[in-house]
Amino acid sequence: EIGITKPKGHKVSFHYNSRVEDMHFGKTHPMKPWRLTLTKHLVLGYGLHYAMDTHEAVSAGKDQVRAFHDPDYVDFLAQVSPQTFASLCEVPRFAQHIPPKHENDTVDLGPFNLSTSPGADCPVFDGMSTYLFLYTGATLGATQQLTSNQTDIAINWSGGLHHAHRAEASGFCYINDIVLSILDLLRVYPRVLYIDIDVHHGDGVEEAFQRQPRVMTLSYHRYGPYDETQHKFFPGTGDLADVGLKGTVGEHFALNVPIASGINDGQYKYLFENVTGRAIEAFKPSAIVLQCGADSLGGDRLGQFNISTTQHGECVSFVKRSGLPLLILGGGGYTARNVARAWCHETALATDNTLPDSIPLDLVPRPEAFQGRAHGDGKLHPPFNKNTPVHNNQNKDVDLEYMVKK
Ligand code: ZLM
Ligand code: CA
Ligand code: ZN
């Protein structure tokens, strides 16, 4: 028996709707909602649902999404499908959002940076509207539990889509559920701290609150040229010097920790705990939103860091120790079995449970996803092995010290 217990002294609520699992961004598109299925399998397999209140998420309404997004964009998202895309592009109020075509564009972009080309970051796919309004509804349901004092920690692994802008999809993100949540939190809490451990810069959230001193955004991310081609790692923003909009009251309420490829556990822990610790001390937030993108894990298909699920989880534990109302969200994560491992482990940390390292394979519907040498030998925390692509560590301790001192 695994012996899962309810946390003593605090409540955790879990927000999810299995309908998000059926979605396909496209055959080889890196974003796989299937990772959410695997996460659910591990959470239920270990019995963590006994330690939380579970809520079936309901779709967000268009009015709720308009609290941040452009009304034309919201209407477009609510109606779009591969079948309706072409005719919607002809509607004048949508057509005005079609970007001018650049000569070396590889994909045909429609309005709002959406596209039916298979190579697009933000494709239009079957069931897309349902998916978008559901992950957003899950985040808003989780937020509502916090603002009504019915929980202390609320979790939505299907949320955390930090790149979406007011009238533009970007980087696999269409609706910015994080911004919508923070706007709701601001009705109740004087100050909200947003922390983002996805390997990508949380640009959409930073931009939305760049003039807002009641929200501090703090992102840790891969930054700099990607490879010899000198292309920048997506989205290319989040320099150390970027601290919020200059000359507004929001200046100094954005923090960025740009990191080179290959960072290890010890270095990440040093950065995360020093910078986050000082941000909490100085800003004195009344609530925290933590985006837990799992593409910062070693072995991720798109990420370039070497951190373990243990260290990724340490970030969650560190933030939890603040004792503040906490919203935990997902985000990126492109090696599905590792995403599921990290988010299951973090669900356990939120509920004060310690899981045995052997996955209860008899209780998970797809044990083969976690078995065999290449899939982590049935362990929750398999060590990196020769199948894990490792990125050379380009981070010098002196550079990290410089950022912490700054
Ligand atoms: N091309 N298919 C992270 C968002 C990262 C921009 C370069 C598109 C991909 C990637 C799409 C099937 C989060 C860029 C990339 C190719 C312009 C990015 C479709 C592979 C595929 O095989 C693919 C044909 C696709 C997209 C790779 N895109 C890798 N990296 C980034 C966006 C989102 O984790 O932060 C939060 C959820 N985009 O680098 C290009 C510049 C589009
Ligand atoms: Ca980040
Ligand atoms: Zn990411």
Side-chain angles (χ1 to χ4, degrees), residues 159-199:
L161 286 307
H162 58 179
H163 298 306
H165 301 284
R166 192 179 108 85
E168 193 184 297
S170 171
F172 321 159
C173 305
Y174 303 77
I175 296 177
N176 201 316
D177 59 306
I178 307 168
V179 171
L180 293 172
S181 166
I182 294 173
L183 290 171
D184 275 354
L185 293 170
L186 287 175
R187 296 168 199 258
V188 172
Y189 301 109
R191 286 175 306 282
V192 177
L193 174 62
Y194 171 67
I195 308 170
D196 184 314
I197 61 171
D198 188 289
V199 76

Side-chain angles (χ1 to χ4, degrees), residues 82-145:
Q83 291 73 40
T84 61
F85 185 73
S87 62
L88 285 178
C89 291
E90 305 295 317
V91 176
R93 71 186 173 108
F94 298 142
Q96 67 179 346
H97 295 277
I98 298 177
K101 199 167 161 54
H102 195 267
E103 48 182 298
N104 44 9
D105 276 351
T106 49
V107 292
D108 260 321
L109 291 179
F112 313 107
N113 196 31
L114 300 173
S115 174
T116 46
S117 305
D121 274 352
C122 299
V124 171
F125 54 89
D126 271 315
M128 169 167 143
S129 283
T130 308
Y131 165 77
L132 305 179
F133 286 86
L134 255 187
Y135 76 66
T136 304
T139 294
L140 295 180
T143 306
Q144 158 73 25
Q145 287 292 304

Side-chain angles (χ1 to χ4, degrees), residues 222 224-231 304:
R222 170 78 175 84
Y226 193 86
D227 50 27
E228 349 18 271
T229 65
Q230 296 295 305
H231 282 112
Q304 299 185 348

Side-chain angles (χ1 to χ4, degrees), residues 162-163 172 198-201 233 291 293-296 302 331-334:
H162 58 179
H163 298 306
F172 321 159
D198 188 289
V199 76
H200 298 97
H201 176 223
F233 194 79
Q291 195 269 21
D295 47 6
S296 43
L302 295 190
Y334 305 101

Side-chain angles (χ1 to χ4, degrees), residues 332-343:
Y334 305 101
T335 301
R337 59 184 180 278
N338 293 342
V339 177
R341 286 181 162 101
W343 291 350

Side-chain angles (χ1 to χ4, degrees), residues 209-215 243-254:
F209 297 111
Q210 60 182 342
R211 303 161 184 273
Q212 175 54 280
R214 292 175 57 203
V215 178
V243 294
L245 196 59
K246 290 213 168 48
T248 74
V249 289
E251 188 175 354
H252 307 301
F253 292 93

